[in-house]
Coordinates of all heavy atoms in Angstrom, one line a residue:
Chain A
W85 N -29.7 -10.9 50.6 CA -28.6 -10.0 51.0 C -29.0 -8.6 50.8 O -29.9 -8.3 50.2 CB -27.3 -10.4 50.4 CG -27.1 -9.9 49.0 CD1 -27.9 -10.1 47.9 CD2 -26.0 -9.0 48.5 NE1 -27.4 -9.5 46.8 CE2 -26.3 -8.8 47.2 CE3 -24.9 -8.5 49.1 CZ2 -25.4 -8.0 46.4 CZ3 -24.1 -7.7 48.3 CH2 -24.3 -7.5 47.0
V89 N -22.1 -2.4 50.4 CA -20.9 -1.9 49.7 C -19.6 -2.5 50.2 O -18.7 -2.8 49.5 CB -20.9 -0.4 49.7 CG1 -19.8 0.1 48.7 CG2 -22.2 0.2 49.3
R93 N -15.5 -3.7 49.0 CA -14.2 -3.2 49.5 C -13.4 -4.3 50.1 O -12.2 -4.4 49.9 CB -14.5 -2.1 50.6 CG -14.1 -0.8 50.0 CD -14.5 0.3 51.0 NE -15.9 0.4 51.2 CZ -16.5 0.7 52.4 NH1 -15.7 0.8 53.5 NH2 -17.8 0.8 52.5
K108 N -32.2 -2.9 33.8 CA -33.5 -2.6 34.2 C -34.2 -3.8 34.9 O -33.8 -5.0 34.7 CB -34.4 -2.3 33.0 CG -34.3 -0.9 32.5 CD -35.3 -0.6 31.4 CE -35.1 -1.6 30.2 NZ -35.8 -1.2 29.0
R111 N -39.3 -6.9 36.4 CA -40.5 -7.0 37.1 C -41.3 -5.7 37.1 O -42.5 -5.7 37.4 CB -40.3 -7.4 38.6 CG -39.6 -8.8 38.7 CD -39.0 -9.0 40.1 NE -38.1 -8.0 40.4 CZ -37.4 -7.9 41.6 NH1 -37.7 -8.8 42.5 NH2 -36.5 -7.0 41.8
L112 N -40.6 -4.6 36.7 CA -41.3 -3.3 36.6 C -41.5 -3.0 35.1 O -42.1 -2.0 34.8 CB -40.5 -2.2 37.2 CG -40.2 -2.4 38.7 CD1 -39.4 -1.3 39.2 CD2 -41.6 -2.4 39.5
M115 N -44.9 -2.5 33.5 CA -45.7 -1.4 34.0 C -45.6 -0.2 33.3 O -44.5 0.2 32.9 CB -45.3 -1.2 35.5 CG -45.1 -2.5 36.2 SD -46.3 -2.7 37.4 CE -47.1 -1.1 37.4
D117 N -44.7 3.2 32.6 CA -44.0 4.4 33.0 C -43.5 4.4 34.4 O -43.5 5.4 35.1 CB -44.9 5.6 32.8 CG -45.5 5.6 31.5 OD1 -44.8 5.7 30.5 OD2 -46.8 5.6 31.3
S119 N -40.1 3.9 36.6 CA -38.7 3.7 36.5 C -38.1 3.5 37.8 O -38.0 4.4 38.7 CB -38.1 4.9 35.8 OG -38.3 6.1 36.6
M121 N -34.9 1.6 40.2 CA -33.4 1.6 40.1 C -33.1 0.4 39.3 O -33.8 -0.6 39.3 CB -32.9 1.5 41.5 CG -33.2 2.7 42.4 SD -33.0 2.3 44.1 CE -33.4 3.9 44.9
E143 N -36.9 -13.5 42.5 CA -38.2 -14.2 42.5 C -39.1 -13.4 41.6 O -39.2 -12.2 41.6 CB -38.7 -14.2 43.9 CG -38.0 -15.1 44.8 CD -38.7 -15.3 46.2 OE1 -39.6 -14.5 46.4 OE2 -38.2 -16.1 46.9
L154 N -26.6 -11.2 30.4 CA -25.4 -10.4 30.7 C -25.1 -9.6 29.4 O -24.7 -10.2 28.4 CB -24.2 -11.4 31.0 CG -23.0 -10.8 31.7 CD1 -22.3 -11.8 32.5 CD2 -22.1 -10.2 30.6
R155 N -25.3 -8.3 29.6 CA -25.0 -7.4 28.4 C -24.0 -6.4 28.9 O -24.2 -5.7 29.9 CB -26.3 -6.7 28.0 CG -27.3 -7.7 27.5 CD -27.0 -8.3 26.1 NE -28.0 -9.2 25.7 CZ -28.0 -10.5 26.0 NH1 -27.0 -11.1 26.7 NH2 -28.9 -11.3 25.5
F167 N -15.8 -13.5 28.2 CA -17.3 -13.5 28.5 C -18.0 -14.6 27.7 O -18.9 -15.2 28.1 CB -17.9 -12.2 28.1 CG -17.6 -11.1 29.1 CD1 -16.6 -10.1 28.8 CD2 -18.2 -11.0 30.3 CE1 -16.3 -9.1 29.7 CE2 -17.9 -10.0 31.2 CZ -17.0 -9.1 30.9
R168 N -17.4 -14.9 26.5 CA -18.0 -15.9 25.6 C -18.1 -17.2 26.3 O -19.0 -18.0 25.9 CB -17.2 -16.0 24.3 CG -17.9 -16.7 23.2 CD -16.9 -16.8 22.0 NE -16.9 -15.6 21.2 CZ -17.8 -15.4 20.2 NH1 -18.7 -16.2 20.0 NH2 -17.7 -14.3 19.5
G173 N -25.9 -16.2 31.1 CA -26.0 -14.8 30.7 C -26.2 -14.6 29.2 O -26.5 -13.5 28.8
R174 N -26.0 -15.6 28.4 CA -26.3 -15.4 27.0 C -27.8 -15.1 26.8 O -28.2 -14.2 26.1 CB -26.0 -16.7 26.2 CG -26.3 -16.5 24.7 CD -25.7 -17.7 23.9 NE -24.3 -17.9 24.0 CZ -23.4 -17.3 23.1 NH1 -23.9 -16.6 22.1 NH2 -22.1 -17.5 23.2
K181 N -37.4 -22.9 42.3 CA -36.6 -22.7 43.5 C -36.0 -24.0 43.9 O -36.7 -25.0 44.2 CB -37.5 -22.2 44.6 CG -38.1 -20.8 44.3 CD -39.0 -20.3 45.3 CE -39.7 -19.0 44.9 NZ -40.8 -18.6 45.7
R218 N -43.4 -3.3 25.8 CA -43.4 -2.0 25.1 C -44.4 -2.2 23.9 O -45.2 -1.3 23.7 CB -42.1 -1.6 24.6 CG -42.0 -0.2 24.2 CD -40.6 0.2 23.9 NE -39.8 -0.9 23.4 CZ -38.5 -0.9 23.5 NH1 -37.8 0.0 24.1 NH2 -37.8 -1.9 22.9
E371 N -49.1 -14.6 36.1 CA -48.5 -15.1 37.4 C -48.2 -16.6 37.3 O -48.5 -17.3 38.2 CB -49.4 -14.8 38.6 CG -49.6 -13.4 38.9 CD -50.5 -13.1 40.1 OE1 -50.2 -13.5 41.2 OE2 -51.6 -12.6 39.8
Chain B
Y63 N -34.6 3.2 22.1 CA -35.1 2.0 21.4 C -34.0 1.2 20.7 O -33.7 0.1 20.9 CB -36.2 2.3 20.5 CG -37.0 1.1 19.9 CD1 -38.0 0.6 20.7 CD2 -36.6 0.6 18.7 CE1 -38.7 -0.5 20.2 CE2 -37.4 -0.5 18.3 CZ -38.4 -1.0 19.0 OH -39.1 -2.1 18.5
E66 N -31.5 -0.5 22.9 CA -31.9 -1.7 23.4 C -31.8 -2.8 22.4 O -31.4 -3.9 22.7 CB -33.4 -1.6 23.9 CG -33.8 -2.7 24.8 CD -34.6 -2.1 25.9 OE1 -34.1 -1.2 26.6 OE2 -35.7 -2.6 26.1
S69 N -28.4 -4.0 22.3 CA -27.9 -4.7 23.4 C -28.5 -6.1 23.5 O -28.1 -7.0 24.2 CB -28.2 -4.0 24.7 OG -29.6 -3.9 24.9
Q71 N -28.2 -8.2 21.3 CA -27.3 -9.1 20.6 C -26.5 -9.8 21.7 O -26.5 -9.5 22.9 CB -26.4 -8.3 19.7 CG -27.1 -7.7 18.6 CD -26.2 -6.7 17.8 OE1 -25.0 -6.6 18.2 NE2 -26.7 -6.1 16.8
D72 N -25.8 -10.8 21.3 CA -25.0 -11.6 22.2 C -24.0 -10.6 22.9 O -23.5 -9.7 22.3 CB -24.2 -12.7 21.5 CG -25.1 -13.9 21.4 OD1 -26.2 -13.8 21.8 OD2 -24.5 -15.0 21.0
Y73 N -23.7 -11.0 24.1 CA -22.9 -10.1 24.9 C -21.5 -10.0 24.4 O -20.7 -9.1 24.7 CB -22.9 -10.5 26.4 CG -22.8 -12.0 26.6 CD1 -21.6 -12.7 26.4 CD2 -23.9 -12.6 27.1 CE1 -21.6 -14.0 26.7 CE2 -23.8 -14.0 27.4 CZ -22.6 -14.7 27.1 OH -22.6 -16.0 27.4
D74 N -21.0 -11.1 23.7 CA -19.6 -11.0 23.3 C -19.4 -10.5 21.9 O -18.4 -10.5 21.3 CB -19.0 -12.4 23.3 CG -19.9 -13.5 22.7 OD1 -20.9 -13.1 22.1 OD2 -19.7 -14.7 22.9
E254 N -20.4 3.8 55.6 CA -21.4 3.7 54.6 C -22.5 4.6 54.8 O -23.0 5.3 53.9 CB -21.9 2.2 54.5 CG -22.1 1.7 53.1 CD -22.2 0.2 53.1 OE1 -21.3 -0.5 53.6 OE2 -23.2 -0.3 52.5
R257 N -21.5 8.2 54.1 CA -21.4 8.5 52.7 C -22.8 8.9 52.1 O -22.9 9.8 51.3 CB -20.8 7.3 51.9 CG -19.6 7.6 51.2 CD -18.8 6.4 50.7 NE -18.1 5.8 51.8 CZ -17.8 4.6 51.9 NH1 -18.4 3.7 51.0 NH2 -17.1 4.1 52.9
Q325 N -35.9 -3.7 54.1 CA -35.7 -4.3 52.8 C -37.1 -4.5 52.1 O -37.1 -4.7 50.9 CB -35.0 -5.7 52.9 CG -33.5 -5.5 53.0 CD -32.8 -6.8 52.8 OE1 -32.7 -7.6 53.8 NE2 -32.4 -7.2 51.6
Y334 N -41.0 12.7 38.3 CA -39.6 12.6 38.3 C -39.0 13.7 39.2 O -38.2 14.5 38.8 CB -39.0 12.7 36.9 CG -39.3 11.4 36.2 CD1 -40.4 11.3 35.3 CD2 -38.5 10.3 36.4 CE1 -40.7 10.2 34.7 CE2 -38.8 9.1 35.7 CZ -39.9 9.1 34.9 OH -40.2 7.9 34.2
G349 N -36.5 3.2 45.8 CA -37.5 4.2 45.4 C -37.8 3.9 43.9 O -36.9 3.5 43.2
I350 N -39.0 4.2 43.5 CA -39.4 4.0 42.1 C -40.2 5.3 41.7 O -41.1 5.7 42.4 CB -40.3 2.8 41.9 CG1 -39.4 1.5 42.1 CG2 -41.0 2.7 40.6 CD1 -40.2 0.2 42.1
Q351 N -39.8 5.8 40.6 CA -40.5 7.0 40.1 C -41.5 6.6 39.0 O -41.3 5.6 38.3 CB -39.5 8.0 39.5 CG -38.6 8.6 40.6 CD -37.4 9.3 40.0 OE1 -36.7 8.8 39.2 NE2 -37.2 10.5 40.5
T353 N -44.0 8.1 36.0 CA -44.4 9.2 35.1 C -45.9 9.5 35.3 O -46.8 8.6 35.2 CB -44.3 8.8 33.6 OG1 -43.0 8.2 33.5 CG2 -44.4 10.0 32.7
A368 N -50.3 1.7 39.8 CA -49.0 1.3 39.4 C -48.2 0.9 40.6 O -47.4 -0.1 40.5 CB -48.3 2.5 38.7
N375 N -45.4 -7.4 42.0 CA -44.4 -7.9 41.1 C -43.1 -8.1 41.8 O -42.4 -9.1 41.5 CB -44.3 -6.9 39.9 CG -45.4 -7.1 38.9 OD1 -46.2 -8.0 39.0 ND2 -45.4 -6.2 37.9
L376 N -42.7 -7.1 42.6 CA -41.4 -7.1 43.2 C -41.3 -8.1 44.3 O -40.3 -8.7 44.6 CB -41.0 -5.7 43.8 CG -40.8 -4.7 42.7 CD1 -40.6 -3.3 43.4 CD2 -39.5 -5.0 41.9
D379 N -44.0 -13.4 46.4 CA -44.4 -14.3 47.4 C -45.4 -13.7 48.4 O -46.0 -14.5 49.2 CB -43.2 -14.8 48.2 CG -42.4 -15.9 47.5 OD1 -42.9 -16.3 46.4 OD2 -41.4 -16.3 47.9
K453 N -55.4 -8.6 43.1 CA -55.2 -9.2 41.8 C -56.5 -9.7 41.1 O -56.6 -9.6 39.9 CB -54.2 -10.4 42.0 CG -52.8 -10.0 42.0 CD -52.2 -9.7 40.6 CE -50.9 -8.9 40.7 NZ -50.6 -8.3 39.4

Side-chain angles (χ1 to χ4, degrees):
Chain A
W85 79 304
V89 187
R93 250 178 294 143
K108 279 186 300 190
R111 298 166 301 178
L112 300 176
M115 314 245 354
D117 311 301
S119 58
M121 295 163 178
E143 289 188 350
L154 193 155
R155 299 287 178 269
F167 288 101
R168 192 185 278 277
R174 182 171 295 269
K181 293 177 186 170
R218 194 172 34 202
E371 293 177 71
Chain B
Y63 190 83
E66 197 138 305
S69 65
Q71 295 170 3
D72 272 8
Y73 42 71
D74 47 10
E254 220 162 306
R257 238 169 278 148
Q325 278 190 279
Y334 287 96
I350 290 175
Q351 289 166 316
T353 310
N375 281 353
L376 291 171
D379 281 352
K453 279 283 165 191

